[in-house]
Amino acid sequence: MGLCLALGFSSGMPLYVLLTLLTAFLRSEGTDLKQIGLFSLLMIPYTWKFLWSPFIDRYAVPFLDRRRGWILVSQCLLIISIALIGFFSPKIHLSVIAFLALAVAFFSATQDIAIDAFRREFLDDEELGLGNSLFVNAYRVAGLVPGGLSLVLAQYCSWHSVFVVTALCMVPGVLATFFAHEKKANCVPKTLKAAVIDPWREFLKRRGIFHAILIIAFVFLYKLGDSMATALATPFYIDLGYDLMTIGVIAKNVGLWSTVTGGLLGGMLMLRIGIGRALWLFGFGQMITVFLFAVLARNGEQGIPPLWLFSLVIGAESLGAGLGTAAFVSFIASQTNETYTATQFALLTSLSALPRTFCNAATGFLVENLGWENFFWLCTVLCIPGMLLLFKIAPLRKRRCRSAAHL
C-alpha cells in the first residue's frame, strides 16, 4: 500500500503539470483561452498509449526488471522535460513549449503503462479497491505541487526556477521505484505479435462483444463531464479575480485535507460496499462537484466570490472527483487479465483519456461562446450518460462479490 502511494504521486505529477501549472504559466503570460484549450491536444499520448503498450508488455529495459525498468527510464526523462519548459517564453517560443508539453505527455503515458501493469500484478483482487484508492488519491495529492506549491513559488521566483523545483519533486518516485521489488511474471508474451493480438482476443472472448462495447462506452463517458469541467479550472480561478498566491494556498490546504480524507474514506467504503456500488455513489459526488463550479461562476458575476465558497469548491472537487476516479480505476483494473496487464489496462485508460484530449480541446471555444456558468451547466449534463450505463455495468440489484474480478 505504501508503494501504491509513492507510485501514485509519481504518476500524477506530470499530468497536473500539464493541466494546472502549464495553463497558469500560459495564462499569466497573456496566452488566450483558445490557445490554452488547444494545448489539450498535446496530451494525445494518453489517448494512444495502447499503441506502444504491447512493446512494453513484450520487452524489458536491458539490465533492469520488466516493469521497473520502464518506470525508471520514464521518470528520468520526465524530470528533464518538465524542467526545460520554464526556460522558454510563451510570447516567443510557444511552439517549443508545445513540443516539450508533448514530450512530457509521452513520457508520462509510458510511465503510466508500466505503473498500471506493475500495480495490477502485485495487488490481489481483494486489495484492488483499497490499493487503487490510495494510488488515485496520492495521484491527486501530487496535483497540489504544480497546482499549489508551484503557484505560490511563482509569486517570488522566475518561471524557470518554478519548473525546475517542480521537476525535482519527481525524485522521491524515482527512489521508490529503484528500491521496490517486482513480482515475477507468470506468463510473458513470446512475440510482439502475440503481445498485440492476444490481449484483444482474450478480452472479447472473456466479456463477450456486447458487454465489451458497454464497458468501452462506460469508460469513455463516466469521467467526461468532470474532466471537461476541470480542464480550465486554473484559468477560471484567475478570471474570477483570484491571484496565484490565493489559488496556491487554498489548493494546498483545503485540497490536501479533502484529498487525504477522500483516500481513506474511499478505500474503506470500497472494501465495505464493493466497486460497483462505489461507482454509483462517487459518480453522484462528481456531478455535485461540477454543479458547484456553476454556482461559483454565478457568484463571480457580482465580483470576486467569497473565499469560503472558493474553498468549498476546491475541497469538493478534491473529495468528490477523487473518490470517483478511485472507483473508476479500480473498475478498470478488475477488467484486465494479468497475462496482458499493460496492454489491456492501457487500452481502457486510453479510452478514458479521450475526453481529456479531444473534448477538453474545445473547452476554450465553449467558454468563449457560452460563458463560464453555462459551460459548467453543460458539463453537469454530460455526467449523466455515464451514470445511466451503470444500470448495465454495475446494476444495484446484483449481489456484491468480495473479489473485484467478479464485479
Side-chain angles (χ1 to χ4, degrees), residues 120 123-133 275 330 333-334 404-405:
R120 179 63 182 99
L123 286 177
D124 294 331
D125 286 343
E126 291 76 13
E127 298 172 331
L128 280 177
L130 180 59
N132 282 294
S133 178
I275 296 173
S330 298
S334 72

Side-chain angles (χ1 to χ4, degrees), residues 220-240:
F220 177 83
L221 294 170
Y222 186 69
K223 297 287 293 179
L224 176 60
D226 172 64
S227 178
M228 288 182 63
T230 56
L232 295 175
T234 303
F236 169 55
Y237 302 149
I238 293 173
D239 286 357
L240 287 174

Side-chain angles (χ1 to χ4, degrees), residues 237-250:
Y237 302 149
I238 293 173
D239 286 357
L240 287 174
Y242 300 111
D243 57 39
L244 292 178
M245 172 65 81
T246 302
I247 297 171
V249 170
I250 296 294

Side-chain angles (χ1 to χ4, degrees), residues 3-15:
L3 194 55
C4 284
L5 289 171
L7 293 178
F9 188 89
S10 181
S11 182
M13 271 288 298
L15 176 63

Side-chain angles (χ1 to χ4, degrees), residues 85-102:
I85 292 176
F87 287 87
F88 299 93
S89 169
K91 296 177 182 178
I92 304 172
H93 305 109
L94 191 61
S95 59
V96 177
I97 293 174
F99 174 79
L100 289 171
L102 182 62

Side-chain angles (χ1 to χ4, degrees), residues 52 84 105 159 187 205 207 229 278 282 301 323 326 340 346 358 382:
W52 65 95
L84 286 174
W159 279 108
C187 182
K205 182 178 180 182
R207 292 300 178 190
F282 301 160
E301 295 175 358
L323 290 173
Y340 313 106
F358 293 104
L382 291 176

Side-chain angles (χ1 to χ4, degrees), residues 198-209 212:
D198 290 353
W200 295 79
R201 181 184 297 161
E202 190 280 335
F203 181 75
L204 291 174
K205 182 178 180 182
R206 174 164 47 92
R207 292 300 178 190
I209 294 177

Side-chain angles (χ1 to χ4, degrees), residues 312-353:
L312 175 64
V313 171
I314 286 185
E317 195 278 328
S318 298
L319 179 63
L323 290 173
T325 303
F328 184 60
V329 173
S330 298
F331 170 78
I332 289 177
S334 72
Q335 304 303 305
T336 63
N337 182 294
E338 289 191 23
T339 305
Y340 313 106
T341 311
T343 302
Q344 291 183 347
F345 215 124
L347 173 63
L348 293 174
T349 53
S350 292
L351 291 168
S352 70

